[in-house]
Structures are given as C-alpha cells and as structure tokens.
mmCIF file of all heavy atoms in Angstrom:
data_model
loop_
_atom_site.group_PDB
_atom_site.id
_atom_site.type_symbol
_atom_site.label_atom_id
_atom_site.label_comp_id
_atom_site.label_asym_id
_atom_site.label_seq_id
_atom_site.Cartn_x
_atom_site.Cartn_y
_atom_site.Cartn_z
ATOM 1 N N VAL A 1 45.330 -139.319 -208.258
ATOM 2 C CA VAL A 1 46.334 -139.914 -209.127
ATOM 3 C C VAL A 1 46.946 -138.789 -210.018
ATOM 4 O O VAL A 1 48.173 -138.767 -210.160
ATOM 5 C CB VAL A 1 45.798 -140.993 -209.946
ATOM 6 C CG1 VAL A 1 46.762 -141.524 -210.980
ATOM 7 C CG2 VAL A 1 45.339 -142.193 -209.037
ATOM 8 N N ARG A 2 46.148 -137.957 -210.578
ATOM 9 C CA ARG A 2 46.593 -136.888 -211.498
ATOM 10 C C ARG A 2 47.525 -135.931 -210.675
ATOM 11 O O ARG A 2 48.544 -135.450 -211.173
ATOM 12 C CB ARG A 2 45.481 -136.146 -212.140
ATOM 13 C CG ARG A 2 44.754 -137.010 -213.149
ATOM 14 C CD ARG A 2 43.759 -136.140 -214.021
ATOM 15 N NE ARG A 2 42.822 -135.544 -213.110
ATOM 16 C CZ ARG A 2 41.541 -136.091 -212.894
ATOM 17 N NH1 ARG A 2 41.318 -137.270 -213.390
ATOM 18 N NH2 ARG A 2 40.695 -135.445 -212.233
ATOM 19 N N GLN A 3 47.087 -135.622 -209.434
ATOM 20 C CA GLN A 3 47.911 -134.749 -208.669
ATOM 21 C C GLN A 3 49.308 -135.330 -208.324
ATOM 22 O O GLN A 3 50.326 -134.628 -208.385
ATOM 23 C CB GLN A 3 47.149 -134.404 -207.336
ATOM 24 C CG GLN A 3 47.888 -133.434 -206.429
ATOM 25 C CD GLN A 3 48.846 -134.140 -205.472
ATOM 26 O OE1 GLN A 3 48.622 -135.172 -205.024
ATOM 27 N NE2 GLN A 3 49.912 -133.457 -205.286
ATOM 28 N N ILE A 4 49.318 -136.650 -208.022
ATOM 29 C CA ILE A 4 50.569 -137.267 -207.647
ATOM 30 C C ILE A 4 51.507 -137.245 -208.847
ATOM 31 O O ILE A 4 52.669 -137.072 -208.821
ATOM 32 C CB ILE A 4 50.297 -138.711 -207.184
ATOM 33 C CG1 ILE A 4 49.639 -138.644 -205.816
ATOM 34 C CG2 ILE A 4 51.602 -139.493 -207.068
ATOM 35 C CD1 ILE A 4 49.093 -139.951 -205.281
ATOM 36 N N GLU A 5 50.908 -137.588 -210.040
ATOM 37 C CA GLU A 5 51.668 -137.700 -211.320
ATOM 38 C C GLU A 5 52.253 -136.286 -211.655
ATOM 39 O O GLU A 5 53.394 -136.213 -212.087
ATOM 40 C CB GLU A 5 50.779 -138.205 -212.440
ATOM 41 C CG GLU A 5 50.488 -139.687 -212.344
ATOM 42 C CD GLU A 5 49.455 -140.146 -213.339
ATOM 43 O OE1 GLU A 5 48.829 -139.345 -213.887
ATOM 44 O OE2 GLU A 5 49.403 -141.381 -213.587
ATOM 45 N N ALA A 6 51.449 -135.267 -211.435
ATOM 46 C CA ALA A 6 51.942 -133.929 -211.717
ATOM 47 C C ALA A 6 53.021 -133.523 -210.750
ATOM 48 O O ALA A 6 54.087 -132.920 -211.119
ATOM 49 C CB ALA A 6 50.774 -132.914 -211.678
ATOM 50 N N TRP A 7 52.887 -133.959 -209.489
ATOM 51 C CA TRP A 7 53.915 -133.687 -208.451
ATOM 52 C C TRP A 7 55.226 -134.379 -208.741
ATOM 53 O O TRP A 7 56.257 -133.763 -208.613
ATOM 54 C CB TRP A 7 53.401 -134.131 -207.091
ATOM 55 C CG TRP A 7 54.291 -134.034 -205.943
ATOM 56 C CD1 TRP A 7 55.158 -132.954 -205.618
ATOM 57 C CD2 TRP A 7 54.584 -135.019 -204.986
ATOM 58 N NE1 TRP A 7 55.881 -133.239 -204.466
ATOM 59 C CE2 TRP A 7 55.561 -134.495 -204.074
ATOM 60 C CE3 TRP A 7 54.026 -136.298 -204.681
ATOM 61 C CZ2 TRP A 7 55.958 -135.259 -202.901
ATOM 62 C CZ3 TRP A 7 54.418 -137.010 -203.636
ATOM 63 C CH2 TRP A 7 55.435 -136.481 -202.700
ATOM 64 N N TRP A 8 55.154 -135.523 -209.280
ATOM 65 C CA TRP A 8 56.305 -136.346 -209.593
ATOM 66 C C TRP A 8 57.114 -135.679 -210.769
ATOM 67 O O TRP A 8 58.246 -136.001 -210.993
ATOM 68 C CB TRP A 8 56.000 -137.799 -209.883
ATOM 69 C CG TRP A 8 55.703 -138.550 -208.546
ATOM 70 C CD1 TRP A 8 55.825 -138.103 -207.342
ATOM 71 C CD2 TRP A 8 55.226 -139.859 -208.554
ATOM 72 N NE1 TRP A 8 55.340 -139.072 -206.418
ATOM 73 C CE2 TRP A 8 55.049 -140.214 -207.157
ATOM 74 C CE3 TRP A 8 54.894 -140.847 -209.490
ATOM 75 C CZ2 TRP A 8 54.531 -141.504 -206.777
ATOM 76 C CZ3 TRP A 8 54.385 -142.116 -209.073
ATOM 77 C CH2 TRP A 8 54.291 -142.441 -207.702
ATOM 78 N N GLN A 9 56.478 -134.844 -211.505
ATOM 79 C CA GLN A 9 57.120 -134.171 -212.689
ATOM 80 C C GLN A 9 57.706 -132.838 -212.344
ATOM 81 O O GLN A 9 58.356 -132.193 -213.153
ATOM 82 C CB GLN A 9 56.098 -134.002 -213.830
ATOM 83 C CG GLN A 9 55.607 -135.309 -214.420
ATOM 84 C CD GLN A 9 56.707 -136.193 -214.859
ATOM 85 O OE1 GLN A 9 57.631 -135.789 -215.561
ATOM 86 N NE2 GLN A 9 56.676 -137.481 -214.446
ATOM 87 N N THR A 10 57.567 -132.426 -211.092
ATOM 88 C CA THR A 10 58.113 -131.090 -210.667
ATOM 89 C C THR A 10 59.659 -131.192 -210.632
ATOM 90 O O THR A 10 60.239 -132.314 -210.493
ATOM 91 C CB THR A 10 57.611 -130.678 -209.229
ATOM 92 O OG1 THR A 10 58.034 -131.662 -208.291
ATOM 93 C CG2 THR A 10 56.075 -130.516 -209.332
ATOM 94 N N GLU A 11 60.266 -130.056 -210.594
ATOM 95 C CA GLU A 11 61.782 -130.026 -210.548
ATOM 96 C C GLU A 11 62.360 -130.741 -209.303
ATOM 97 O O GLU A 11 63.363 -131.435 -209.405
ATOM 98 C CB GLU A 11 62.239 -128.533 -210.550
ATOM 99 C CG GLU A 11 63.744 -128.398 -210.740
ATOM 100 C CD GLU A 11 64.376 -128.210 -209.298
ATOM 101 O OE1 GLU A 11 63.671 -127.988 -208.295
ATOM 102 O OE2 GLU A 11 65.624 -128.412 -209.277
ATOM 103 N N ARG A 12 61.598 -130.650 -208.255
ATOM 104 C CA ARG A 12 62.025 -131.274 -206.952
ATOM 105 C C ARG A 12 61.961 -132.822 -207.070
ATOM 106 O O ARG A 12 62.818 -133.502 -206.452
ATOM 107 C CB ARG A 12 61.160 -130.735 -205.820
ATOM 108 C CG ARG A 12 61.310 -131.491 -204.528
ATOM 109 C CD ARG A 12 62.707 -131.429 -203.891
ATOM 110 N NE ARG A 12 62.779 -132.299 -202.776
ATOM 111 C CZ ARG A 12 63.230 -133.554 -202.812
ATOM 112 N NH1 ARG A 12 63.611 -134.077 -204.031
ATOM 113 N NH2 ARG A 12 63.281 -134.271 -201.767
ATOM 114 N N GLN A 13 60.989 -133.382 -207.779
ATOM 115 C CA GLN A 13 60.782 -134.783 -207.747
ATOM 116 C C GLN A 13 61.156 -135.508 -208.992
ATOM 117 O O GLN A 13 61.248 -136.813 -209.055
ATOM 118 C CB GLN A 13 59.280 -135.108 -207.528
ATOM 119 C CG GLN A 13 58.863 -134.654 -206.132
ATOM 120 C CD GLN A 13 59.323 -135.563 -205.018
ATOM 121 O OE1 GLN A 13 59.516 -136.732 -205.213
ATOM 122 N NE2 GLN A 13 59.445 -134.967 -203.853
ATOM 123 N N ALA A 14 61.438 -134.888 -210.120
ATOM 124 C CA ALA A 14 61.579 -135.474 -211.514
ATOM 125 C C ALA A 14 62.740 -136.478 -211.552
ATOM 126 O O ALA A 14 62.690 -137.411 -212.351
ATOM 127 C CB ALA A 14 61.631 -134.446 -212.557
ATOM 128 N N HIS A 15 63.764 -136.264 -210.720
ATOM 129 C CA HIS A 15 64.912 -137.139 -210.805
ATOM 130 C C HIS A 15 64.760 -138.500 -210.168
ATOM 131 O O HIS A 15 65.524 -139.472 -210.336
ATOM 132 C CB HIS A 15 66.153 -136.501 -210.212
ATOM 133 C CG HIS A 15 66.009 -136.260 -208.703
ATOM 134 N ND1 HIS A 15 65.213 -135.262 -208.183
ATOM 135 C CD2 HIS A 15 66.602 -136.926 -207.669
ATOM 136 C CE1 HIS A 15 65.286 -135.394 -206.925
ATOM 137 N NE2 HIS A 15 66.035 -136.363 -206.505
ATOM 138 N N ILE A 16 63.672 -138.617 -209.348
ATOM 139 C CA ILE A 16 63.469 -139.895 -208.634
ATOM 140 C C ILE A 16 62.705 -140.951 -209.498
ATOM 141 O O ILE A 16 61.764 -140.582 -210.231
ATOM 142 C CB ILE A 16 62.631 -139.560 -207.361
ATOM 143 C CG1 ILE A 16 63.443 -138.677 -206.476
ATOM 144 C CG2 ILE A 16 62.309 -140.919 -206.669
ATOM 145 C CD1 ILE A 16 62.631 -138.054 -205.388
ATOM 146 N N LYS A 17 63.166 -142.164 -209.477
ATOM 147 C CA LYS A 17 62.611 -143.198 -210.311
ATOM 148 C C LYS A 17 61.988 -144.265 -209.328
ATOM 149 O O LYS A 17 62.638 -144.848 -208.612
ATOM 150 C CB LYS A 17 63.598 -143.900 -211.212
ATOM 151 C CG LYS A 17 64.378 -142.951 -212.065
ATOM 152 C CD LYS A 17 63.540 -142.110 -212.993
ATOM 153 C CE LYS A 17 64.391 -141.198 -213.835
ATOM 154 N NZ LYS A 17 63.519 -140.182 -214.560
ATOM 155 N N ARG A 18 60.617 -144.369 -209.366
ATOM 156 C CA ARG A 18 59.954 -145.163 -208.478
ATOM 157 C C ARG A 18 59.581 -146.580 -209.106
ATOM 158 O O ARG A 18 59.139 -146.566 -210.304
ATOM 159 C CB ARG A 18 58.655 -144.514 -207.991
ATOM 160 C CG ARG A 18 58.930 -143.269 -207.065
ATOM 161 C CD ARG A 18 58.013 -142.073 -207.439
ATOM 162 N NE ARG A 18 58.050 -141.077 -206.368
ATOM 163 C CZ ARG A 18 58.581 -139.859 -206.595
ATOM 164 N NH1 ARG A 18 59.092 -139.542 -207.788
ATOM 165 N NH2 ARG A 18 58.513 -138.980 -205.637
ATOM 166 N N PRO A 19 59.631 -147.597 -208.362
ATOM 167 C CA PRO A 19 59.188 -148.928 -208.824
ATOM 168 C C PRO A 19 57.790 -149.201 -208.706
ATOM 169 O O PRO A 19 57.358 -150.346 -208.716
ATOM 170 C CB PRO A 19 60.115 -149.890 -207.998
ATOM 171 C CG PRO A 19 60.235 -149.151 -206.742
ATOM 172 C CD PRO A 19 60.258 -147.708 -207.045
ATOM 173 N N TYR A 20 56.961 -148.127 -208.388
ATOM 174 C CA TYR A 20 55.528 -148.303 -208.257
ATOM 175 C C TYR A 20 54.835 -147.147 -208.869
ATOM 176 O O TYR A 20 55.388 -146.215 -209.356
ATOM 177 C CB TYR A 20 55.171 -148.338 -206.677
ATOM 178 C CG TYR A 20 55.836 -147.293 -205.890
ATOM 179 C CD1 TYR A 20 55.376 -145.967 -205.934
ATOM 180 C CD2 TYR A 20 56.919 -147.535 -205.092
ATOM 181 C CE1 TYR A 20 55.939 -144.936 -205.222
ATOM 182 C CE2 TYR A 20 57.537 -146.563 -204.317
ATOM 183 C CZ TYR A 20 57.083 -145.217 -204.385
ATOM 184 O OH TYR A 20 57.702 -144.220 -203.713
ATOM 185 N N SER A 21 53.433 -147.293 -209.006
ATOM 186 C CA SER A 21 52.723 -146.308 -209.756
ATOM 187 C C SER A 21 52.067 -145.231 -208.891
ATOM 188 O O SER A 21 51.876 -145.532 -207.676
ATOM 189 C CB SER A 21 51.618 -147.059 -210.526
ATOM 190 O OG SER A 21 50.642 -147.596 -209.659
ATOM 191 N N ALA A 22 51.601 -144.201 -209.485
ATOM 192 C CA ALA A 22 50.873 -143.183 -208.716
ATOM 193 C C ALA A 22 49.548 -143.717 -208.263
ATOM 194 O O ALA A 22 49.062 -143.364 -207.181
ATOM 195 C CB ALA A 22 50.573 -141.949 -209.622
ATOM 196 N N LYS A 23 48.965 -144.658 -208.963
ATOM 197 C CA LYS A 23 47.662 -145.235 -208.454
ATOM 198 C C LYS A 23 47.885 -146.037 -207.142
ATOM 199 O O LYS A 23 47.035 -145.957 -206.306
ATOM 200 C CB LYS A 23 47.102 -146.252 -209.594
ATOM 201 C CG LYS A 23 46.538 -145.524 -210.757
ATOM 202 C CD LYS A 23 45.884 -146.567 -211.668
ATOM 203 C CE LYS A 23 45.051 -145.886 -212.766
ATOM 204 N NZ LYS A 23 44.446 -146.820 -213.700
ATOM 205 N N SER A 24 49.046 -146.733 -207.056
ATOM 206 C CA SER A 24 49.362 -147.431 -205.851
ATOM 207 C C SER A 24 49.406 -146.490 -204.680
ATOM 208 O O SER A 24 48.973 -146.802 -203.525
ATOM 209 C CB SER A 24 50.594 -148.293 -205.992
ATOM 210 O OG SER A 24 50.460 -149.299 -206.917
ATOM 211 N N ILE A 25 50.155 -145.368 -204.894
ATOM 212 C CA ILE A 25 50.247 -144.413 -203.713
ATOM 213 C C ILE A 25 48.957 -143.803 -203.437
ATOM 214 O O ILE A 25 48.632 -143.599 -202.278
ATOM 215 C CB ILE A 25 51.306 -143.373 -204.146
ATOM 216 C CG1 ILE A 25 52.676 -143.964 -204.396
ATOM 217 C CG2 ILE A 25 51.423 -142.251 -203.177
ATOM 218 C CD1 ILE A 25 53.230 -144.701 -203.147
ATOM 219 N N ALA A 26 48.154 -143.475 -204.419
ATOM 220 C CA ALA A 26 46.860 -142.763 -204.171
ATOM 221 C C ALA A 26 45.972 -143.740 -203.379
ATOM 222 O O ALA A 26 45.255 -143.300 -202.472
ATOM 223 C CB ALA A 26 46.177 -142.413 -205.494
ATOM 224 N N ALA A 27 46.076 -145.020 -203.700
ATOM 225 C CA ALA A 27 45.215 -146.014 -202.906
ATOM 226 C C ALA A 27 45.678 -146.164 -201.420
ATOM 227 O O ALA A 27 44.861 -146.546 -200.617
ATOM 228 C CB ALA A 27 45.272 -147.364 -203.605
ATOM 229 N N LEU A 28 46.886 -145.770 -201.167
ATOM 230 C CA LEU A 28 47.410 -145.889 -199.798
ATOM 231 C C LEU A 28 47.236 -144.545 -198.973
ATOM 232 O O LEU A 28 47.646 -144.488 -197.801
ATOM 233 C CB LEU A 28 48.887 -146.294 -199.856
ATOM 234 C CG LEU A 28 49.203 -147.733 -200.295
ATOM 235 C CD1 LEU A 28 50.679 -147.875 -200.590
ATOM 236 C CD2 LEU A 28 48.727 -148.674 -199.297
ATOM 237 N N ARG A 29 46.778 -143.504 -199.652
ATOM 238 C CA ARG A 29 46.583 -142.265 -198.883
ATOM 239 C C ARG A 29 45.248 -142.176 -198.271
ATOM 240 O O ARG A 29 44.301 -142.945 -198.564
ATOM 241 C CB ARG A 29 46.669 -141.136 -199.984
ATOM 242 C CG ARG A 29 48.120 -140.799 -200.455
ATOM 243 C CD ARG A 29 48.140 -139.551 -201.301
ATOM 244 N NE ARG A 29 49.497 -139.095 -201.587
ATOM 245 C CZ ARG A 29 49.767 -138.023 -202.262
ATOM 246 N NH1 ARG A 29 48.836 -137.250 -202.715
ATOM 247 N NH2 ARG A 29 51.032 -137.710 -202.413
ATOM 248 N N ASN A 30 45.080 -141.204 -197.371
ATOM 249 C CA ASN A 30 43.820 -140.894 -196.727
ATOM 250 C C ASN A 30 43.029 -139.981 -197.700
ATOM 251 O O ASN A 30 43.103 -138.755 -197.624
ATOM 252 C CB ASN A 30 43.985 -140.210 -195.359
ATOM 253 C CG ASN A 30 44.655 -141.100 -194.376
ATOM 254 O OD1 ASN A 30 45.923 -140.906 -194.137
ATOM 255 N ND2 ASN A 30 43.949 -142.073 -193.878
ATOM 256 N N LEU A 31 42.352 -140.582 -198.643
ATOM 257 C CA LEU A 31 41.754 -139.802 -199.736
ATOM 258 C C LEU A 31 40.698 -138.787 -199.168
ATOM 259 O O LEU A 31 39.889 -139.107 -198.311
ATOM 260 C CB LEU A 31 41.059 -140.783 -200.663
ATOM 261 C CG LEU A 31 40.566 -140.212 -202.064
ATOM 262 C CD1 LEU A 31 41.777 -139.684 -202.823
ATOM 263 C CD2 LEU A 31 39.907 -141.366 -202.835
ATOM 264 N N GLY A 32 40.857 -137.594 -199.662
ATOM 265 C CA GLY A 32 39.959 -136.562 -199.178
ATOM 266 C C GLY A 32 40.352 -135.848 -197.875
ATOM 267 O O GLY A 32 39.617 -135.037 -197.350
ATOM 268 N N PHE A 33 41.581 -136.235 -197.359
ATOM 269 C CA PHE A 33 41.999 -135.605 -196.134
ATOM 270 C C PHE A 33 43.482 -135.252 -196.317
ATOM 271 O O PHE A 33 44.322 -136.091 -196.153
ATOM 272 C CB PHE A 33 41.765 -136.536 -194.993
ATOM 273 C CG PHE A 33 42.040 -135.865 -193.564
ATOM 274 C CD1 PHE A 33 41.018 -135.195 -193.029
ATOM 275 C CD2 PHE A 33 43.225 -136.029 -192.914
ATOM 276 C CE1 PHE A 33 41.284 -134.527 -191.736
ATOM 277 C CE2 PHE A 33 43.445 -135.466 -191.725
ATOM 278 C CZ PHE A 33 42.483 -134.689 -191.102
ATOM 279 N N LYS A 34 43.816 -134.029 -196.537
ATOM 280 C CA LYS A 34 45.136 -133.640 -196.818
ATOM 281 C C LYS A 34 45.857 -132.962 -195.567
ATOM 282 O O LYS A 34 45.192 -132.041 -194.985
ATOM 283 C CB LYS A 34 45.155 -132.618 -197.995
ATOM 284 C CG LYS A 34 46.556 -132.080 -198.347
ATOM 285 C CD LYS A 34 47.469 -133.072 -199.003
ATOM 286 C CE LYS A 34 48.671 -132.417 -199.511
ATOM 287 N NZ LYS A 34 49.676 -133.432 -200.014
ATOM 288 N N ILE A 35 47.055 -133.456 -195.264
ATOM 289 C CA ILE A 35 47.783 -132.850 -194.178
ATOM 290 C C ILE A 35 49.041 -132.233 -194.787
ATOM 291 O O ILE A 35 49.791 -132.786 -195.575
ATOM 292 C CB ILE A 35 48.233 -133.895 -193.159
ATOM 293 C CG1 ILE A 35 47.014 -134.640 -192.562
ATOM 294 C CG2 ILE A 35 49.055 -133.317 -191.994
ATOM 295 C CD1 ILE A 35 47.344 -135.779 -191.643
ATOM 296 N N GLU A 36 49.342 -130.955 -194.389
ATOM 297 C CA GLU A 36 50.513 -130.256 -194.788
ATOM 298 C C GLU A 36 51.518 -130.330 -193.719
ATOM 299 O O GLU A 36 51.312 -129.984 -192.584
ATOM 300 C CB GLU A 36 50.226 -128.808 -195.121
ATOM 301 C CG GLU A 36 49.251 -128.568 -196.320
ATOM 302 C CD GLU A 36 49.862 -128.855 -197.603
ATOM 303 O OE1 GLU A 36 51.092 -128.959 -197.686
ATOM 304 O OE2 GLU A 36 49.051 -129.017 -198.642
ATOM 305 N N TYR A 37 52.720 -130.905 -194.049
ATOM 306 C CA TYR A 37 53.779 -131.155 -193.018
ATOM 307 C C TYR A 37 54.873 -130.119 -193.235
ATOM 308 O O TYR A 37 55.397 -129.928 -194.367
ATOM 309 C CB TYR A 37 54.360 -132.517 -193.159
ATOM 310 C CG TYR A 37 53.367 -133.656 -192.859
ATOM 311 C CD1 TYR A 37 52.657 -134.290 -193.959
ATOM 312 C CD2 TYR A 37 53.095 -134.072 -191.617
ATOM 313 C CE1 TYR A 37 51.785 -135.317 -193.670
ATOM 314 C CE2 TYR A 37 52.214 -135.094 -191.319
ATOM 315 C CZ TYR A 37 51.625 -135.730 -192.331
ATOM 316 O OH TYR A 37 50.686 -136.781 -192.089
ATOM 317 N N PRO A 38 55.298 -129.491 -192.107
ATOM 318 C CA PRO A 38 56.468 -128.543 -192.233
ATOM 319 C C PRO A 38 57.714 -129.285 -192.767
ATOM 320 O O PRO A 38 58.513 -128.568 -193.340
ATOM 321 C CB PRO A 38 56.657 -128.099 -190.728
ATOM 322 C CG PRO A 38 55.353 -128.237 -190.101
ATOM 323 C CD PRO A 38 54.688 -129.522 -190.810
ATOM 324 N N SER A 39 57.810 -130.560 -192.544
ATOM 325 C CA SER A 39 58.984 -131.271 -193.088
ATOM 326 C C SER A 39 59.093 -131.110 -194.547
ATOM 327 O O SER A 39 60.240 -131.057 -195.082
ATOM 328 C CB SER A 39 58.819 -132.744 -192.714
ATOM 329 O OG SER A 39 59.782 -133.559 -193.255
ATOM 330 N N SER A 40 57.977 -131.008 -195.230
ATOM 331 C CA SER A 40 58.005 -130.917 -196.656
ATOM 332 C C SER A 40 58.543 -129.465 -197.109
ATOM 333 O O SER A 40 59.420 -129.423 -197.990
ATOM 334 C CB SER A 40 56.601 -130.998 -197.264
ATOM 335 O OG SER A 40 56.582 -131.120 -198.621
ATOM 336 N N ALA A 41 58.205 -128.462 -196.399
ATOM 337 C CA ALA A 41 58.750 -127.083 -196.685
ATOM 338 C C ALA A 41 60.249 -127.011 -196.351
ATOM 339 O O ALA A 41 61.010 -126.478 -197.159
ATOM 340 C CB ALA A 41 58.003 -126.084 -195.832
ATOM 341 N N GLN A 42 60.609 -127.705 -195.298
ATOM 342 C CA GLN A 42 62.087 -127.697 -194.980
ATOM 343 C C GLN A 42 62.778 -128.489 -195.922
ATOM 344 O O GLN A 42 64.049 -128.204 -196.316
ATOM 345 C CB GLN A 42 62.254 -128.230 -193.469
ATOM 346 C CG GLN A 42 61.733 -127.319 -192.490
ATOM 347 C CD GLN A 42 62.472 -125.985 -192.376
ATOM 348 O OE1 GLN A 42 62.067 -125.098 -193.086
ATOM 349 N NE2 GLN A 42 63.443 -125.877 -191.476
ATOM 350 N N GLY A 43 62.221 -129.598 -196.401
ATOM 351 C CA GLY A 43 62.908 -130.344 -197.491
ATOM 352 C C GLY A 43 63.128 -129.603 -198.708
ATOM 353 O O GLY A 43 64.148 -129.657 -199.374
ATOM 354 N N ARG A 44 62.197 -128.814 -199.122
ATOM 355 C CA ARG A 44 62.368 -127.978 -200.343
ATOM 356 C C ARG A 44 63.364 -126.911 -200.104
ATOM 357 O O ARG A 44 64.137 -126.545 -201.026
ATOM 358 C CB ARG A 44 60.945 -127.347 -200.743
ATOM 359 C CG ARG A 44 59.929 -128.381 -201.297
ATOM 360 C CD ARG A 44 58.782 -127.636 -201.918
ATOM 361 N NE ARG A 44 57.901 -126.985 -200.848
ATOM 362 C CZ ARG A 44 56.944 -127.548 -200.182
ATOM 363 N NH1 ARG A 44 56.656 -128.839 -200.358
ATOM 364 N NH2 ARG A 44 56.196 -126.838 -199.311
#
C-alpha cells in the first residue's frame, strides 16, 4: 500500500485522480510477486 501511494505521487502519476484507494489496488495484486512490464518503460 505504501509503495502504491508513493508511486501515485510521482511526476508521472500525480495528475491522475482515482475513485479508489491504494488499499483496494494492493488487495487486487499478486502480493509478493512482482512483474516488470516493458510497456511501463515505453509508457514513461
């Protein structure tokens, strides 16, 4: 949850307003298993 909240404050994400919480997103993730997607690097 802390990682998501910090990510949402980055320059890339700060302008987005979500109607849900970081807790909701964390609960929907595969906790403890992180995948890095090239799509993310291309998006940045």
